[in-house]
Coordinates of all heavy atoms in Angstrom, one line a residue:
F954 N 2.9 19.3 -3.0 CA 2.3 19.1 -1.7 C 0.8 19.2 -1.8 O 0.2 19.9 -2.6 CB 2.9 20.0 -0.7 CG 2.7 21.5 -1.0 CD1 1.6 22.2 -0.5 CD2 3.5 22.2 -1.8 CE1 1.4 23.5 -0.7 CE2 3.3 23.6 -2.1 CZ 2.2 24.2 -1.6
T1009 N 7.3 33.1 -4.6 CA 6.9 34.3 -3.9 C 8.1 34.8 -3.0 O 9.1 34.1 -2.8 CB 5.7 34.1 -2.9 OG1 5.2 35.3 -2.4 CG2 6.1 33.1 -1.8
L1039 N 8.4 33.7 10.0 CA 8.6 34.0 8.6 C 7.6 35.0 8.1 O 6.5 35.1 8.6 CB 8.5 32.7 7.8 CG 7.2 31.9 7.6 CD1 6.4 32.5 6.5 CD2 7.5 30.4 7.4
R1040 N 8.0 35.7 7.1 CA 7.1 36.6 6.4 C 7.1 36.2 4.9 O 8.1 36.0 4.3 CB 7.6 38.1 6.5 CG 7.6 38.6 7.9 CD 6.2 38.8 8.5 NE 5.4 39.7 7.7 CZ 5.4 41.0 7.9 NH1 6.1 41.5 8.9 NH2 4.6 41.8 7.2
A1041 N 5.9 36.2 4.3 CA 5.8 35.8 2.9 C 4.7 36.6 2.3 O 3.6 36.9 2.9 CB 5.5 34.3 2.8
D1042 N 4.9 37.0 1.0 CA 3.9 37.7 0.3 C 2.7 36.8 0.0 O 1.5 37.3 0.1 CB 4.5 38.2 -1.1 CG 5.5 39.4 -0.9 OD1 5.5 39.9 0.3 OD2 6.2 39.7 -1.8
N1043 N 2.9 35.6 -0.2 CA 1.9 34.6 -0.5 C 2.2 33.3 0.3 O 2.9 32.5 -0.2 CB 1.7 34.3 -2.0 CG 0.6 33.3 -2.3 OD1 -0.2 33.0 -1.4 ND2 0.5 32.9 -3.5
F1044 N 1.7 33.2 1.5 CA 2.0 32.1 2.4 C 1.5 30.8 1.8 O 2.2 29.8 2.0 CB 1.3 32.3 3.8 CG 1.5 31.2 4.7 CD1 2.7 31.1 5.5 CD2 0.5 30.3 5.0 CE1 2.9 30.1 6.3 CE2 0.7 29.2 5.9 CZ 1.9 29.1 6.5
E1045 N 0.4 30.8 1.1 CA -0.2 29.6 0.6 C 0.8 28.9 -0.4 O 0.6 27.7 -0.7 CB -1.5 29.8 -0.1 CG -2.6 30.4 0.9 CD -2.8 29.5 2.0 OE1 -2.8 28.3 1.8 OE2 -3.1 30.0 3.1
S1046 N 1.7 29.6 -1.1 CA 2.5 29.0 -2.1 C 3.8 28.3 -1.4 O 4.5 27.7 -2.1 CB 3.0 30.1 -3.1 OG 3.8 31.0 -2.4
L1047 N 3.9 28.5 -0.1 CA 5.1 27.8 0.6 C 4.7 26.4 0.8 O 3.7 26.1 1.4 CB 5.4 28.5 1.9 CG 5.8 30.0 1.9 CD1 6.0 30.5 3.3 CD2 7.0 30.2 1.0
G1048 N 5.6 25.5 0.5 CA 5.5 24.1 0.8 C 5.6 23.8 2.3 O 6.2 24.6 3.0
L1051 N 8.9 24.6 4.2 CA 9.2 26.0 4.5 C 8.3 26.6 5.6 O 8.5 27.8 6.0 CB 9.1 26.9 3.2 CG 10.1 26.5 2.1 CD1 9.8 27.3 0.9 CD2 11.5 26.6 2.5
R1052 N 7.3 25.9 6.0 CA 6.4 26.4 7.1 C 6.9 25.8 8.4 O 7.8 25.0 8.5 CB 5.0 25.9 6.8 CG 4.5 26.3 5.4 CD 3.0 25.9 5.3 NE 2.6 26.1 3.9 CZ 1.3 26.0 3.5 NH1 0.3 25.7 4.4 NH2 0.9 26.3 2.3
F1053 N 6.3 26.3 9.5 CA 6.6 25.9 10.9 C 5.5 25.0 11.4 O 4.3 25.2 11.3 CB 6.8 27.1 11.8 CG 8.0 27.9 11.5 CD1 7.9 29.2 11.0 CD2 9.3 27.4 11.6 CE1 9.0 30.0 10.7 CE2 10.4 28.1 11.3 CZ 10.3 29.4 10.9
P1071 N -1.8 25.6 12.8 CA -3.1 26.0 12.2 C -3.6 24.8 11.3 O -2.8 24.1 10.7 CB -2.7 27.2 11.3 CG -1.5 27.7 11.9 CD -0.7 26.6 12.4
V1079 N -1.7 22.5 8.7 CA -1.1 23.0 7.5 C 0.1 23.8 7.8 O 0.8 24.3 6.9 CB -2.1 23.8 6.7 CG1 -3.3 23.0 6.2 CG2 -2.6 25.1 7.5
G1080 N 0.5 24.0 9.1 CA 1.7 24.8 9.4 C 1.4 26.3 9.6 O 0.4 26.8 9.1
G1081 N 2.3 27.0 10.2 CA 2.1 28.4 10.5 C 3.3 29.3 10.2 O 4.3 28.8 9.7
R1082 N 3.0 30.6 10.4 CA 4.1 31.6 10.2 C 5.1 31.6 11.4 O 6.2 32.1 11.2 CB 3.4 32.9 10.0 CG 2.5 33.1 8.8 CD 1.9 34.5 8.8 NE 1.0 34.7 7.7 CZ 1.4 35.2 6.5 NH1 2.6 35.5 6.3 NH2 0.5 35.3 5.5
Y1083 N 4.6 31.3 12.5 CA 5.4 31.4 13.8 C 5.4 30.1 14.5 O 4.5 29.3 14.4 CB 4.9 32.5 14.7 CG 4.7 33.8 13.9 CD1 3.4 34.2 13.6 CD2 5.7 34.6 13.7 CE1 3.2 35.4 12.9 CE2 5.6 35.9 13.0 CZ 4.3 36.2 12.6 OH 4.1 37.4 11.9
M1111 N 1.8 28.8 14.9 CA 0.7 29.8 14.9 C 0.7 30.7 13.6 O 1.8 30.8 13.0 CB 0.8 30.7 16.1 CG 0.8 29.9 17.4 SD 1.7 30.8 18.7 CE 3.4 30.7 18.2
M1112 N -0.4 31.3 13.3 CA -0.4 32.3 12.3 C -0.2 33.7 12.9 O 0.3 34.6 12.2 CB -1.7 32.3 11.5 CG -2.0 31.0 10.7 SD -0.7 30.8 9.4 CE -1.1 32.1 8.3

Side-chain angles (χ1 to χ4, degrees):
F954 61 94
T1009 188
L1039 69 85
R1040 296 294 300 271
D1042 290 348
N1043 181 9
F1044 179 80
E1045 299 301 324
S1046 65
L1047 298 179
L1051 298 177
R1052 304 183 187 190
F1053 291 116
V1079 298
R1082 296 176 181 269
Y1083 307 103
M1111 307 151 287
M1112 293 301 291

